[in-house]
Amino acid sequence: MPYIGSEDTVRDLRRVLSNPNVQSDQLRYRNTILKVIRAMSQGVDVSGLFSEMVKACATVDIVQKKLVYVFLCSYATLNPELSLLVINTLRKDCQDPNPMVRSLALRNMTNLRLPSLVEYVEQPLTAGLRDRAACVRRVAVLGWAKLHNLQTNSEIDAAVVNELYSLLRDPDPVVMVNCLRALEEILREEGGVAINKPITHHLLNRLKECDIWGQCEVLRILQRYRPQSEDELFNILSLLDVSLISPHPPVMAATLSLFLSLCSGLPAVGLAALERVRGPLLAACGNTSREMQFTALCHIQLLLRSLPGLMGEHYKRFFCGYAEPAYIKQRKIEVLVELVNDDNVAILLDELRGYCTDVNISTAHAAISAIGRIGRSYSDKCLEILTELLGLKQEHITSAVVQTMRDLVWVCPQCSRTVCSAVEGCEAEIQDSQGRHALLWLLGVYGEQVSSVPYTLEVFIDGVRSEASVGVKMELLTATVRLFLCRPAETQDMLGRLLHYCIEEETNMCVSDQALLYYRLLHCGIEETRKVLQCRRSDPSLGVLIGRPAEPINQWSYIFNTLEPLRPGAIETDDALTASVSAPLSLSLSPALSPEEFEDLWLQQQCPTIFRCSPQSLQAAMQLVNIQTLAFTPPHTLPWRVYLYTNTQNKHSADTCHGTLILGELLVKKNTAEKGIKVTLKQQPRDEKALKGFLSVLTTVLHALSSE
Amino acid sequence: MSASAIFVLDLKGKVLICRNYKGDVDMAEIDHFMSLLMQHEEEGLICPVMAHGNVHFMWIKHSNLYLVATTNKNSNASLVYSFLYKLVEVFTEYFKELEEESIQDNFVVVYELLDELMDFGFPQTTDSKILQEYITQEGAKLEVAKTKVPTTVTNAVSWRSEGIKYKKNEVFIDVIESINVLVNANGSVMSSDIVGSIKLKTMLSGMPELRLGLNDRVLFALTGWSGDKGKTVVMEDVKFHQCVRLSRFESDRTISFIPPDGESELMSYRINTHVKPLIWIESVIEKFSHSRVEIMVKAKGQFKKQSVANNVEVRVPVPSDADSPKFKTSTGHAKYVPEKNLVVWTIKSFPGGKEFLMRAHFGLPSVENDEAEGKPPITVKFEIPYFTVSGIQVRYMKIIEKSGYQALPWVRYITQSGDYQLRTNV
């Protein structure tokens, strides 16, 4: 068969299509159209055949009609004028005695997506709403939504809206659900379809007739309903109880979501509902579909934020199978960390240890850092495992272990002795910059505990010329200066060499500036340097609060059963998703922040704002307005310091994910002449409005506290 | 829900067929799908949700196809995945096998189906039994009569149409249970469960009314009611076909229904209980670096003496650089499958209570393979007929039809291996 280019194909097809002999032979005509559609599916541009195809749509053969409609809907936007010709045929089809033809015509009429055709479409759509056949009504109802979508600014006739409301009582459940969907779309500006008591009860009563898609839709829309009395609320809840333990994960999740929104004022009932879905959720984790498993795992993570003990005894259900994909393994590992308790810690650590040698490197890293997280409460066992892992002498494992150890020591300084003896001698295996960064930090801070540190650093300093990573170079500077402070005799010479290189030869501004800083600092004297470098990064008495407190359910219930929990990374903010509407500001603790992330971000951000007001006990009050205090100094130290964070979000934009993160430090100085709190705020991404809003919330809280 | 568009792609990422439902996401966005997927794959972080700008791709893979839904809303992910799997289910029922070839060969039907399954991003008619009544592959033949709307679209019994006729009225009931087991390297059972299903093949005329009787123990488990303490198992995740009258089941525990014609799954369940692994494997794998690997595997049938396990396959992992295999088995035969790095030991029939042994010896090259290898577990496949682990039994099946014909029910029980893994310590 000779090669036929797309232009030749189109020309050939056009010739055949306009051949009267072909047109009179139905079978040949249809087969030719089939060829056009096949070419279209293969990516050949057949838009040139538009006028021929328009003619082909006047036929009694329904398959041919469908094919032509597929074609027309794909290319209509390119040929608005010619599309006008189709409208007549379509309108004629809307009168056809066969309901299949009517619904087909109606659907495609609205699928053409041409604003210029709207006036021709409205009349058949109105008629379609009153059609005898349910399948036509289904299409007509959604047709109005499509029409509205085409020209969002135009008002849809109030009569149509009323008709759609009355169709909520249509005998066909799909028509009913489609009505909800359409009204939701059309009335978006007004906040969606109005849900009052009669509609709610009508929908609830017909829930059983709907298929799972319909059920989920109804359950989602009912979230807006607020029962008028407690009796009514409990009646609704008992009606919903069956769906709550539905074997279909989407229905179960939608019901739980509705439960949580109905019970937002009754946290105890909400928690009871979470207990109730434990079984179905665990079952969903064993779903045959991996994607469904993944979704279930992500949602379990949300639930655990409010009820950490929920899955405790079922921890074995979260053990990973060998062939499971990495995304499931990693979520399971995250869940396992949450489930640790005194009884299962040994088995759990043993299992996690097995994952540390996973072929997938990121899974192995996830397992190693999970062990580190558990180490905050069970440090001895975990350090033993981590030390053992170093013995494997695998590059990426060693690097991950050192990073994990650094994070662990940061929180539990009492582990430093074990960590120091473990990391000694592993510098040869670490190649990546993050691992070396962590190692240098450890060596610098605990230089006096490891005898071989000067030799290790010397190797690093000798190789500094070929070092590519800026972070490693800066850490090397700090580590060497720190070491110099505690072991001056061994370090002086190499420190000199390093400073000389960094100041004279280094091209990176950050590195050379830091070197200059240290150089000048050393000029001021050893004591000064010690004050700067060995006065720890934070107050020694400043401890991180281990373990997050159980969060109230409404912290996360608004993202439950959406796409949001599936997105990787807790504090990723996507600028592209920014909502254009400006909405009232509210604060939230999610995405949650770990102490390490907090420190990281704290060091990155720079935009302080200062204001004054008077102090009292803060923590409880802060929690009330969703500001999380992450760490604070013991009560009587001065200055008393509190670190806190929160996220701002736009309440209206539940559809999009958008918010900004605010970090704060409160400094209370009682001994100064003027009483006052110094507040330092850092923010990411920058958003003046959100910052102002946050400040006003914070001032209100502080004022309220001081007036007590 | 809100899927904006649905795409079917081949493995190279070429669009085979697509349908734009909402028109709010540029169809060209799909071009980013493959590069994103490759990028994630390189990082070892494949994820069923991927984002490009404000467009999210939710995808599943089926044989040599990707099914992708795009959305720019924060839509309900589990519903989107359910829908994609529904697509697979419907297509499979139409084309027997869903793969690139079948999409290419049937793209007209695929277009028609995509049109009926979803409208404006919302699922519409998704029951393949109903769809099959008005969208047929014989559409290519000119048959105008077939284009009538089936009554079932709005009928009370939407899963069965009227006027079905068979010469011989029969119904076949298959009770199938698969066992999932995960055993640790030190021989303790980490997790185990039973996934069961009752499948029907109905060849009955008219609108028959069926009643299925199960043994009491199972019924109690189904309703969570414990008769004699300790003995009952708890079933979770019980799903009935939509034809089963749930209200009836809740009130007097009878499973009554009008069955769909042909093959269907009447119910499925899962029992999360400690099952004794039916085939127990003990293995000693000794690896002498640079010289050889010695494998000794002992398989023991831990089920009733009267039962026989058929087509038993024990798959033992070996290092990827192993060579020159030697085997010795007390029964069955062993085969080396180098492309999967496995030894497959097949035993055609394995009576209960028996114990068999297999020894294997491999050479290892003196130059060590420095690629990191995982620790794959030993997996076992088997099938035991006339036997169920849960003890579920069909007591009776009553078939009542207006015309009063006699119909025969046939029952068959099979227990098979599901995800059956035993970890090794090498």
Side-chain angles (χ1 to χ4, degrees):
Chain A
M1 195 177 148
Y3 173 76
I4 303 174
S6 68
E7 272 173 44
D8 296 334
T9 322
V10 174
R11 200 179 315 127
D12 280 357
L13 285 169
R14 177 176 295 129
R15 197 170 38 77
V16 183
L17 278 175
S18 41
N19 182 344
N21 292 331
V22 173
Q23 286 180 1
S24 58
D25 181 347
Q26 269 196 17
L27 197 57
R28 276 178 71 192
Y29 203 20
R30 186 206 278 181
N31 284 337
T32 318
I33 289 165
L34 210 76
K35 276 185 200 145
V36 176
I37 304 292
R38 193 178 287 273
M40 186 182 95
S41 307
Q42 284 161 355
V44 179
D45 180 16
V46 284
S47 57
L49 299 170
F50 201 84
S51 52
E52 282 77 14
M53 292 298 271
V54 168
K55 276 179 215 142
C57 107
T59 168
V60 288
D61 177 13
I62 199 159
V63 176
Q64 177 172 337
K65 252 190 213 302
K66 283 184 181 172
L67 290 175
V68 176
Y69 289 155
V70 166
F71 177 92
L72 294 181
C73 288
S74 311
Y75 291 116
T77 36
L78 301 175
N79 296 289
E81 291 86 26
L82 280 173
S83 306
L84 206 58
L85 300 174
V86 198
I87 279 292
N88 259 331
T89 326
L90 284 168
R91 283 182 65 138
K92 210 164 77 215
D93 279 355
C94 287
Q95 316 285 333
D96 199 279
N98 185 343
M100 284 296 279
V101 177
R102 292 205 298 275
S103 69
L104 189 67
L106 213 48
R107 180 161 52 221
N108 287 291
M109 210 183 259
T110 46
N111 277 352
L112 290 174
R113 294 199 190 101
L114 287 175
S116 54
L117 299 183
V118 168
E119 49 181 317
Y120 304 98
V121 180
E122 279 180 346
Q123 190 269 324
L125 272 184
T126 316
L129 288 180
R130 298 183 196 125
D131 201 285
R132 280 172 290 112
C135 59
V136 182
R137 292 201 300 274
R138 291 175 183 180
V139 173
V141 167
L142 280 185
W144 282 107
K146 292 182 202 166
L147 221 56
H148 176 75
N149 215 22
L150 213 53
Q151 22 178 233
T152 27
N153 39 11
S154 79
E155 285 283 306
I156 290 259
D157 194 359
V160 173
V161 174
N162 281 339
E163 189 138 10
L164 286 175
Y165 269 116
S166 66
L167 275 174
L168 284 175
R169 309 212 171 256
D170 194 278
D172 183 73
V174 181
V175 174
M176 176 185 87
V177 175
N178 279 356
C179 270
L180 281 179
R181 291 160 169 163
L183 284 170
E184 196 67 0
E185 196 80 22
I186 294 169
L187 302 176
R188 178 174 294 170
E189 299 283 286
E190 300 161 34
V193 49
I195 296 292
N196 56 21
K197 192 170 171 179
I199 292 184
T200 306
H201 289 257
H202 169 71
L203 290 175
L204 282 170
N205 287 333
R206 296 195 55 186
L207 199 58
K208 273 191 183 158
E209 294 168 39
C210 303
D211 53 8
I212 63 162
W213 322 110
Q215 289 188 19
C216 292
E217 202 71 43
V218 170
L219 290 166
R220 188 180 66 81
I221 285 170
L222 284 183
Q223 282 185 29
R224 273 208 302 276
Y225 183 61
R226 290 280 158 264
Q228 282 143 16
S229 68
E230 205 147 275
D231 278 352
E232 193 194 353
L233 169 68
F234 284 105
N235 279 340
I236 295 177
L237 294 185
S238 58
L239 261 177
L240 288 172
D241 190 62
V242 188
S243 333
L244 192 57
I245 47 170
S246 157
H248 301 288
V251 176
M252 179 265 296
T255 318
L256 179 62
S257 202
L258 174 57
F259 247 80
L260 296 180
S261 85
L262 286 176
C263 306
S264 53
L266 302 163
V269 185
L271 290 178
L274 299 190
E275 295 274 358
R276 189 103 172 98
V277 295
R278 173 175 30 211
L281 260 179
L282 280 171
C285 289
N287 198 297
T288 42
S289 136
R290 288 190 163 146
E291 290 76 14
M292 294 300 273
Q293 277 182 35
F294 176 67
T295 320
L297 283 168
C298 296
H299 283 107
I300 283 180
Q301 283 187 301
L302 282 184
L303 261 63
L304 289 177
R305 280 164 54 178
S306 288
L307 212 54
L310 187 63
M311 302 286 177
E313 51 188 299
H314 301 281
Y315 65 96
K316 283 189 177 171
R317 298 287 279 272
F318 300 97
F319 284 178
C320 304
Y322 176 73
E324 275 173 346
Y327 59 86
I328 287 190
K329 283 188 185 172
Q330 288 169 21
R331 291 280 175 164
K332 279 189 173 173
I333 291 172
E334 284 173 26
V335 172
L336 282 174
V337 173
E338 304 287 328
L339 301 184
V340 172
N341 58 35
D342 290 352
D343 302 325
N344 61 23
V345 65
I347 305 176
L348 246 164
L349 282 175
D350 210 37
E351 185 72 15
L352 282 173
R353 215 197 92 86
Y355 307 151
C356 292
T357 46
D358 198 282
V359 191
N360 184 312
I361 290 178
S362 56
T363 308
H365 287 189
I368 293 170
S369 79
I371 293 179
R373 290 265 307 281
I374 297 175
R376 292 176 192 175
S377 331
Y378 301 93
S379 49
D380 292 349
K381 285 177 196 149
C382 295
L383 278 174
E384 200 178 300
I385 295 179
L386 290 175
T387 315
E388 231 178 279
L389 287 171
L390 286 177
L392 293 176
K393 306 252 173 225
Q394 292 248 351
E395 213 175 285
H396 72 95
I397 293 181
T398 309
S399 160
V401 169
V402 170
Q403 290 174 54
T404 306
M405 283 179 161
R406 172 199 53 191
D407 296 343
L408 183 61
V409 168
W410 199 92
V411 184
C412 313
Q414 72 275 14
C415 306
S416 62
R417 194 153 289 280
T418 330
V419 167
C420 288
S421 62
V423 296
E424 205 169 350
C426 65
E427 65 277 356
E429 265 114 52
I430 304 179
Q431 297 298 320
D432 64 316
S433 56
Q434 276 173 325
R436 277 181 299 167
H437 199 285
L439 180 71
L440 283 172
W441 186 88
L442 280 171
L443 294 181
V445 174
Y446 297 103
E448 72 269 50
Q449 293 183 26
V450 190
S451 57
S452 65
V453 172
Y455 304 103
T456 318
L457 285 188
E458 190 153 28
V459 175
F460 272 101
I461 290 169
D462 289 343
V464 73
R465 265 164 228 280
S466 50
E467 177 60 60
S469 155
V470 174
V472 172
K473 280 191 238 182
M474 288 168 75
E475 195 60 60
L476 179 62
L477 269 168
T478 313
T480 318
V481 179
R482 276 196 180 131
L483 189 68
F484 173 69
L485 292 177
C486 57
R487 299 162 77 163
E490 297 157 280
T491 327
Q492 189 178 14
D493 179 49
M494 58 174 123
L495 176 62
R497 272 188 288 143
L498 180 65
L499 285 176
H500 182 265
Y501 166 79
C502 289
I503 293 168
E504 297 293 326
E505 293 177 49
E506 176 60 44
T507 48
N508 186 291
M509 285 297 267
C510 287
V511 180
S512 60
D513 275 3
Q514 198 176 10
L516 268 176
L517 171 79
Y518 286 140
Y519 181 72
R520 289 176 189 145
L521 198 58
L522 287 166
H523 265 292
C524 299
I526 285 294
E527 276 320 304
E528 283 302 312
T529 317
R530 203 181 292 278
K531 256 193 228 161
V532 172
L533 276 170
Q534 288 196 334
C535 130
R536 300 269 301 275
R537 64 211 172 284
S538 42
D539 201 308
S541 58
L542 183 109
V544 171
L545 308 171
I546 295 175
R548 250 178 282 147
E551 293 175 35
I553 292 171
N554 57 21
Q555 289 299 324
W556 49 264
S557 58
Y558 68 97
I559 55 163
F560 186 79
N561 205 24
T562 64
L563 189 60
E564 180 63 18
L566 276 68
R567 286 152 51 86
I571 47 163
E572 246 178 20
T573 32
D574 226 353
D575 285 323
L577 285 174
T578 310
S580 52
V581 280
S582 73
L585 180 94
S586 72
L587 305 178
S588 136
L589 289 184
S590 60
L593 208 58
S594 75
E596 298 84 59
E597 288 164 330
F598 182 88
E599 199 198 21
D600 252 21
L601 290 164
W602 183 259
L603 297 173
Q604 275 169 25
Q605 306 292 314
Q606 273 152 11
C607 69
T609 319
I610 296 171
F611 81 108
R612 284 159 193 288
C613 77
S614 34
Q616 278 294 329
S617 69
L618 289 161
Q619 201 188 0
M622 292 297 186
Q623 291 248 310
L624 281 178
V625 292
N626 291 333
I627 300 173
Q628 175 72 52
T629 43
L630 200 74
F632 52 88
T633 48
H636 298 295
T637 46
L638 279 172
W640 192 62
R641 265 184 274 173
V642 180
Y643 289 93
L644 46 86
Y645 78 88
T646 190
N647 290 286
T648 64
Q649 55 194 202
N650 289 324
K651 259 282 155 70
H652 276 319
S653 54
D655 264 357
T656 52
C657 350
H658 153 76
T660 132
L661 177 71
I662 297 181
L663 312 176
E665 180 196 47
L666 306 187
L667 198 67
V668 184
K669 283 185 262 181
K670 277 223 182 82
N671 53 349
T672 50
E674 37 181 335
K675 278 181 157 190
I677 301 181
K678 185 176 153 200
V679 180
T680 315
L681 296 178
K682 304 184 176 189
Q683 195 190 24
Q684 175 195 17
R686 209 183 152 86
D687 179 352
E688 282 302 334
K689 224 194 273 159
L691 198 65
K692 276 201 193 113
F694 172 76
L695 275 181
S696 71
V697 172
L698 191 68
T699 3
T700 325
V701 177
L702 295 174
H703 276 303
L705 281 167
S706 61
S707 62
E708 270 171 20
Chain B
M1 173 74 202
S2 303
S4 180
I6 301 280
F7 298 84
V8 181
L9 309 181
D10 68 3
L11 284 183
K12 292 194 199 93
K14 201 182 87 185
V15 179
L16 296 176
I17 223 156
C18 62
R19 196 84 178 86
N20 188 356
Y21 289 109
K22 281 204 112 151
D24 56 356
V25 173
D26 186 2
M27 294 299 272
E29 285 285 344
I30 195 69
D31 298 342
H32 301 293
F33 173 77
M34 214 51 205
S35 53
L36 270 173
L37 190 67
M38 306 276 261
Q39 184 195 330
H40 284 234
E41 197 164 3
E42 232 159 69
E43 294 163 8
L45 290 169
I46 289 197
C47 183
V49 188
M50 298 191 299
H52 179 264
N54 59 354
V55 179
H56 283 80
F57 301 104
M58 280 174 264
W59 61 280
I60 63 171
K61 194 180 171 198
H62 183 89
S63 64
N64 53 1
L65 296 172
Y66 292 108
L67 285 89
V68 188
T70 55
T71 179
N72 58 358
K73 297 263 165 58
N74 189 9
S75 46
N76 182 338
S78 65
L79 217 50
V80 174
Y81 291 127
S82 302
F83 181 76
L84 292 178
Y85 276 99
K86 192 79 201 177
L87 279 184
V88 172
E89 189 189 315
V90 171
F91 288 159
T92 316
E93 278 184 42
Y94 264 88
F95 317 130
K96 295 285 167 291
E97 211 126 310
L98 174 60
E99 51 185 21
E100 194 183 331
E101 297 264 291
S102 54
I103 292 276
Q104 298 273 22
D105 295 348
N106 300 288
F107 74 94
V108 176
V109 182
V110 175
Y111 269 125
E112 285 186 64
L113 285 174
L114 285 176
D115 219 32
E116 294 296 332
L117 283 160
M118 193 178 246
D119 194 10
F120 200 50
F122 300 113
Q124 300 289 311
T125 312
T126 53
D127 193 319
S128 67
K129 287 259 152 46
I130 300 173
L131 288 167
Q132 266 163 2
E133 293 190 20
Y134 63 103
I135 296 179
T136 49
Q137 275 157 297
E138 287 79 49
K141 292 171 202 147
L142 283 172
E143 212 183 327
V144 188
K146 197 65 190 164
T147 55
K148 213 172 54 195
V149 206
T151 46
T152 47
V153 174
T154 49
N155 206 2
V157 184
S158 66
W159 54 89
R160 187 180 180 95
S161 44
E162 285 167 38
I164 296 171
K165 274 217 171 68
Y166 283 98
K167 248 187 215 154
K168 195 173 175 190
N169 290 300
E170 286 176 313
V171 55
F172 297 88
I173 308 164
D174 279 353
V175 181
I176 302 166
E177 288 192 342
S178 28
I179 313 291
N180 298 327
V181 176
L182 177 63
V183 181
N184 214 354
N186 56 23
S188 59
V189 178
M190 302 300 276
S191 65
S192 61
D193 56 7
I194 307 166
V195 178
S197 75
I198 299 184
K199 291 192 170 144
L200 291 184
K201 187 175 179 189
T202 323
M203 298 160 84
L204 298 171
S205 316
M207 276 284 179
E209 175 72 48
L210 270 57
R211 217 161 76 213
L212 178 72
L214 298 175
N215 51 332
D216 286 349
R217 200 175 129 199
V218 171
L219 272 182
F220 292 147
L222 279 176
T223 44
W225 187 81
S226 60
D228 49 342
K229 282 200 180 91
K231 272 298 270 181
T232 46
V233 283
V234 179
M235 288 194 173
E236 53 178 65
D237 204 9
V238 182
K239 277 181 211 167
F240 285 108
H241 189 274
Q242 56 163 334
C243 66
V244 177
R245 294 188 187 90
L246 290 176
S247 50
R248 187 82 192 277
F249 179 74
E250 274 154 29
S251 63
D252 58 3
R253 294 205 293 273
T254 45
I255 301 173
S256 74
F257 54 98
I258 297 172
D261 190 44
E263 288 179 37
S264 59
E265 187 176 61
L266 184 67
M267 66 175 280
S268 65
Y269 55 88
R270 169 202 295 273
I271 303 171
N272 190 36
T273 172
H274 193 95
V275 246
K276 200 169 169 192
L278 294 174
I279 292 191
W280 183 251
I281 302 286
E282 274 170 45
S283 65
V284 181
I285 303 179
E286 278 179 297
K287 191 170 169 183
F288 303 94
S289 285
H290 314 302
S291 71
R292 65 189 192 279
V293 181
E294 277 171 14
I295 299 170
M296 198 274 292
V297 176
K298 193 159 78 179
K300 192 178 170 196
Q302 303 193 110
F303 45 92
K304 276 185 283 181
K305 288 217 167 55
Q306 304 92 300
S307 295
V308 174
N310 292 333
N311 304 324
V312 179
E313 268 186 30
V314 183
R315 296 156 174 257
V316 187
V318 292
S320 58
D321 50 358
D323 54 42
S324 48
K326 277 178 222 144
F327 303 110
K328 212 157 112 190
T329 55
S330 60
T331 187
H333 73 279
K335 204 175 89 186
Y336 177 41
V337 188
E339 63 272 20
K340 288 186 182 151
N341 303 323
L342 283 177
V343 175
V344 180
W345 176 23
T346 338
I347 304 163
K348 279 272 166 270
S349 98
F350 193 137
K354 284 274 164 39
E355 218 180 87
F356 298 115
L357 205 67
M358 190 263 295
R359 282 176 193 281
H361 178 284
F362 285 89
L364 282 181
S366 51
V367 186
E368 196 153 342
N369 184 1
D370 44 48
E371 253 173 71
E373 281 183 35
K375 284 195 230 169
I378 294 180
T379 53
V380 185
K381 284 193 171 175
F382 57 85
E383 216 177 74
I384 307 176
Y386 317 114
F387 169 75
T388 56
V389 192
S390 66
I392 190 172
Q393 268 175 10
V394 175
R395 285 265 181 261
Y396 60 85
M397 168 73 104
K398 284 193 182 135
I399 303 158
I400 304 156
E401 217 274 332
K402 281 197 300 259
S403 62
Y405 58 71
Q406 287 295 306
L408 284 175
W410 304 92
V411 188
R412 195 162 59 158
Y413 301 96
I414 298 175
T415 291
Q416 61 191 23
S417 58
D419 188 14
Y420 201 101
Q421 300 189 354
L422 302 101
R423 292 186 183 159
T424 60
N425 44 15
V426 176

